[in-house]
Amino acid sequence: MASFDALTFPAGFLWGTATASHQYEGGNTNNQWYAWEQAGHIKSGETCGLACDWWAHAERDFDRAAQMGLKALRLSLEWSRIEPAPGQWDTAALDRYHAMLVGLRQRDIIPLVTLHHFTHPIWLEAIGGFLAPDFVRRFIAYTGRVVEALGDQCDWWCTINEPNVVSVAGYQIGNFPPGRRGDLRGAIRAQAALVHAHAAAYHEIHRQQPEARVGWAQHIYTFDPANPRSPLDRTVTRLQDLGFNDFFPRAVLTGKPLGILSPLTGDLSAAKGTCDYVGINCYARAHVAFDPRIPSELFGRRFSKPGTPLGDAGPGSMFTEMYPDGILRNARRFQSFGKPIYFTENGVPDASDHLRPWIIARAARALHDALREGIDVRGYLHWSLVDNFEWENGWTMRFGLIALDEHTQERAPRPSAALYGELAQANALTRDMVTRYAPTAEREVFGTA
């Protein structure tokens, strides 16, 4: 392997972090996740509570992001704050979000606003959530009101976060609300509804902001056959990849579902071409072996091979091998869209900060390799800025560059925050940075000195 001393990125490459409203704001008591917590479904037995206290004090962490030299921050809006009851709009909530966006821009940080990041109002869940007959109409009303109120401070929008995750977790696995298990039909219908909602939101945003950048954030779980020479392993791996990763991107790229699913999805043709960029959330890889005992998993047993890097496992964690090389593989996968690519999430649950510097260094190498191949990658948003409430795993999984004591709200930057800040400010990863913060990655990133 050739040796060199720096990975330099193009001018304007965006280094930032990603966050979500319920996990950060605190005090969200009118969405379906709050009801889920109150019903005792968080595997750690915890509740979100004050979270990171962003509703009152987000600007303190905006200052920290600015001091690190970050230039982008992804945050989501809490629909249940904005529309606490059907057709009732809370102007004070919109004013608070407007102030947050102003605060980011004052710090020279570009906001990427997500409209739906797993949460929506309790009243919407009560009438069927994604499967409500008028879900799309209600989502477009919400979208229109948001863009009208916030469009002077934001022109970069993410409609839906991880439609595959929220559908599968809510209707097949049952660890997200509404908590159904084995409802494949419901999962397909939910994801189809999200396709329709995304497409309609795309057009509504462009009606108000013709020059807006609109996309979605797709979670991609990398599946590899346990034995690449086994036709059965290869087949079940492909089935799992199609089943989990392919539905939404296929709809946006082609306007079509897999043919056998069309009776459940309706006409998806309006979704074709509805993205100005591709957002990819990329974390983990699993190896897949054929196993006839688990038809519910498409006959594929997922596992991590011994010796692979593993993040901290929460009580409900589905994370397996942490796989930053998936960044390059997925950049190649989505190159066919012909759109700019942003990695809208990548990170690791790692309270000790042992693995995170390695993840950051390897991610930078994968991004650089993609750029060298001529792939139009424009930015990387690390998950996450501060430790956050991690959905069904509660406070047991620590993703933050900055450690949080959720009881006192005290913060303590981890060493990875210093590494990421140096990378962002230099717009380059140097051998010296890796030597100081992630020495185990030095040879992998830079070759032999």
Side-chain angles (χ1 to χ4, degrees):
M1 181 184 290
S3 174
F4 50 98
D5 292 316
L7 304 175
T8 301
F9 289 83
F13 192 88
L14 284 179
W15 300 100
T17 54
T19 68
S21 57
H22 187 74
Q23 296 173 277
Y24 268 75
E25 289 175 359
N28 278 312
T29 61
N30 196 30
N31 67 37
Q32 90 281 27
W33 265 94
Y34 175 78
W36 187 251
E37 293 168 17
Q38 297 305 303
H41 292 298
I42 305 304
K43 294 179 172 62
S44 64
E46 298 164 315
T47 57
C48 187
L50 197 58
C52 304
D53 198 23
W54 269 29
W55 196 242
H57 299 298
E59 288 80 0
R60 296 177 184 177
D61 285 331
F62 294 172
D63 285 338
R64 294 178 174 93
Q67 290 161 7
M68 289 170 62
L70 305 184
K71 294 300 183 183
L73 191 145
R74 180 180 170 217
L75 72 165
S76 72
L77 307 179
E78 185 55 53
W79 185 352
S80 66
R81 290 189 189 273
I82 294 168
E83 191 180 8
Q88 296 181 17
W89 305 99
D90 189 327
T91 56
L94 287 167
D95 287 346
R96 173 60 183 139
Y97 283 122
H98 191 272
M100 290 167 71
L101 299 182
V102 168
L104 287 169
R105 291 198 172 275
Q106 288 174 339
R107 293 162 175 81
D108 197 27
I109 297 173
I110 299 170
L112 167 56
V113 172
T114 302
L115 297 172
H116 190 286
H117 194 130
F118 293 173
T119 60
H120 50 245
I122 289 176
W123 61 258
L124 179 63
E125 190 72 7
I127 60 173
F130 304 134
L131 303 185
D134 58 351
F135 167 68
V136 174
R137 180 185 67 80
R138 293 184 182 277
F139 186 69
I140 298 316
Y142 158 66
T143 299
R145 187 59 63 99
V146 161
V147 177
E148 180 183 351
L150 306 181
D152 65 323
Q153 295 298 318
C154 178
D155 59 5
W156 190 15
W157 304 92
C158 172
T159 58
I160 310 288
N161 179 72
E162 299 185 345
N164 51 344
V165 170
V166 74
S167 301
V168 170
Y171 292 85
Q172 286 183 268
I173 300 172
N175 57 344
F176 277 26
R180 299 188 191 176
R181 295 182 182 273
D183 184 2
L184 178 59
R185 180 186 178 91
I188 294 168
R189 290 178 59 219
Q191 196 161 177
L194 290 168
V195 170
H196 292 294
H198 159 80
Y202 177 89
H203 293 298
E204 171 61 22
I205 295 168
H206 276 287
R207 184 186 68 79
Q208 294 195 44
Q209 289 185 319
E211 302 304 315
R213 292 173 290 167
V214 186
W216 88 103
Q218 178 72 21
H219 187 108
I220 297 292
Y221 200 123
T222 301
F223 300 103
D224 280 332
N227 179 359
R229 294 185 296 275
S230 165
L232 289 174
D233 285 4
R234 293 198 306 270
T235 298
V236 294
T237 299
R238 178 62 176 156
L239 287 173
Q240 292 204 355
D241 180 68
L242 284 171
F244 187 72
N245 292 326
D246 195 57
F247 185 108
F248 207 99
R250 178 187 293 264
V252 173
L253 184 63
T254 69
K256 299 177 181 178
L258 286 170
I260 60 174
L261 300 181
S262 56
L264 295 176
T265 66
D267 181 5
L268 301 182
S269 59
K272 184 176 180 179
T274 53
C275 71
D276 305 310
Y277 68 90
V278 175
I280 305 171
N281 297 352
C282 175
Y283 290 90
R285 171 171 72 167
H287 289 87
V288 185
F290 173 70
D291 190 332
R293 298 168 296 180
I294 46 175
S296 64
E297 300 290 331
L298 302 175
F299 303 103
R301 176 174 52 84
R302 294 184 297 276
F303 64 96
S304 298
K305 290 189 174 180
T308 55
L310 304 175
D312 299 340
S317 174
M318 294 179 63
F319 281 88
T320 51
E321 174 191 354
M322 305 314 298
Y323 189 58
D325 288 354
I327 287 172
L328 176 58
R329 291 176 62 175
N330 286 303
R332 291 168 175 163
R333 177 175 185 153
F334 284 91
Q335 190 176 15
S336 61
F337 277 70
K339 304 290 184 180
I341 294 171
Y342 294 87
F343 283 88
T344 41
E345 291 182 25
N346 173 250
V348 58
D350 181 19
S352 69
D353 210 44
H354 174 72
L355 192 56
R356 190 175 291 106
W358 178 87
I359 291 283
I360 291 170
R362 288 296 300 268
R365 175 60 192 264
L367 292 163
H368 196 266
D369 286 348
L371 289 163
R372 289 183 62 193
E373 292 185 11
I375 303 173
D376 188 10
V377 179
R378 303 278 183 93
Y380 171 89
L381 306 179
H382 190 84
W383 186 278
S384 190
L385 181 61
V386 182
D387 285 339
N388 54 268
F389 187 79
E390 190 53 32
W391 305 112
E392 80 277 17
N393 292 290
W395 291 104
T396 63
M397 300 179 75
R398 302 286 173 158
F399 278 89
L401 295 162
I402 299 169
L404 171 73
D405 183 327
E406 66 273 20
H407 303 292
T408 66
Q409 289 296 312
E410 293 180 1
R411 275 108 163 116
R414 295 185 166 103
S416 54
L419 168 60
Y420 194 53
E422 289 188 31
L423 166 60
Q425 291 174 49
N427 199 28
L429 181 72
T430 67
R431 186 184 290 271
D432 174 66
M433 294 176 197
V434 175
T435 300
R436 286 185 285 119
Y437 294 107
T440 59
E442 182 177 352
R443 179 172 295 185
E444 298 168 339
V445 173
F446 293 109
T448 305

